[in-house]
């Protein structure tokens, strides 16, 4: 639990450390990013992180199906706040194609691109997730079919959060990442966070990701941590660190 600038510092240190380790072990660092308020608040600090961006491959955990120049584009948000200011080479940037009218084909092509870079089945070094008030992560919403999908990428046409049409990585991809970072700010997220931290059988997407991933870091401001009983630093085991 900390204020947002301190959480941004912690995230920058995690990205720097994981990038260094991944690039030493496997030559490249692979990361998948979100949109939303956490991106807006955390990514400007990441643009200043000390990382070899020429050996960092960027994907999106989810993308709204709008043109890349649209104000709602998650690609556009991350590009303007992080990738462009950091000088990430265009060849390292892998958004889904949101201009293909055939959503199934675009999702399959995005999965193929992910597998080309991160292996099959794909294992990303890091995924950065925001959390919705309803406990969604990426565009995996509670009770929806995409939550049970086994393909790496699917399209969603009925997202309860606008816009309705999106591409999303599925649970197998998110939970296979070497590190999952879950960021949430504000009291509106407190109930979803409390359930993810305190209820071992919660069906919420955020809870399912947190349970199944090998290494999870929660970055929470005090309002989002709310009344969760689980200690703010360590959760169920020493590898599961909360901020
Ligand atoms: C998006 C995101 C989405 C987001 C959550 C939380 O397309 O909006 O990628 O998964 O992370 O909805 O968003 P907020 O932080 O804005 O509430």
């Amino acid at each position: 639990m900390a204020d947002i600038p301190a959480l941004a510092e912690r995230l920058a240190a995690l990205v720097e450390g994981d990038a260094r380790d991944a690039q030493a072990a496997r030559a490249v660092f692979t990361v998948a990013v979100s949109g939303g308020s956490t991106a807006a608040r955390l990514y400007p600090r990441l643009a200043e992180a000390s990382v070899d961006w020429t050996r960092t491959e960027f994907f999106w955990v989810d993308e709204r199906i709008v043109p890349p120049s649209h104000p709602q584009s998650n690609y556009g948000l991350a590009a303007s706040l992080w990738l462009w200011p950091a000088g990430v080479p265009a060849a390292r940037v892998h958004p889904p194609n949101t201009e293909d009218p055939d959503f199934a084909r675009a999702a399959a092509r995005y999965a193929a691109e992910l597998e080309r870079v991160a292996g099959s089945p794909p294992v990303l070094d890091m995924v950065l997730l925001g959390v919705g008030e309803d406990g969604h992560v990426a565009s995996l919403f509670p009770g929806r079919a995409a939550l049970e999908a086994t393909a790496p990428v699917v399209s969603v046409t009925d997202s309860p959060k606008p816009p309705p049409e999106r591409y999303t990585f599925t649970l197998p991809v998110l939970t296979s990442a070497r590190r999952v970072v879950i960021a949430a700010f504000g009291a509106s997220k407190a109930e979803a966070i409390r359930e993810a931290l305190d209820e071992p059988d919660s069906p919420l997407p955020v809870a399912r990701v947190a349970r199944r991933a090998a290494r999870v870091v929660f970055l929470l401001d005090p309002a989002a941590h709310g009344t969760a009983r689980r200690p703010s630093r360590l959760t169920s085991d020493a590898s599961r660190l909360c901020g």
Side-chain angles (χ1 to χ4, degrees), residues 106-189:
R109 287 185 175 165
Y110 199 42
E113 176 74 350
L114 175 66
E115 290 178 339
R116 184 182 69 75
V117 174
S120 180
V123 179
L124 290 155
D125 292 308
M126 180 179 277
V127 301
L128 301 180
L129 298 173
V131 182
E133 295 172 22
D134 59 358
H136 78 260
V137 289
S139 290
L140 299 174
F141 293 88
R144 301 296 174 100
L147 195 52
E148 312 305 331
T150 53
V153 182
V154 294
S155 61
V156 168
T157 54
D158 58 354
S159 162
K161 177 181 179 180
E165 295 172 338
R166 292 152 172 267
Y167 296 111
T168 186
F169 284 177
T170 57
L171 276 185
V173 174
L174 301 181
T175 59
S176 300
R178 295 188 175 90
R179 189 193 300 277
V180 175
V181 178
I182 298 173
F185 310 136
S188 66
K189 310 293 172 68

Side-chain angles (χ1 to χ4, degrees), residues 49 63 88 136 168 221 227:
E63 179 57 289
V88 176
H136 78 260
T168 186
D221 71 357
T227 58

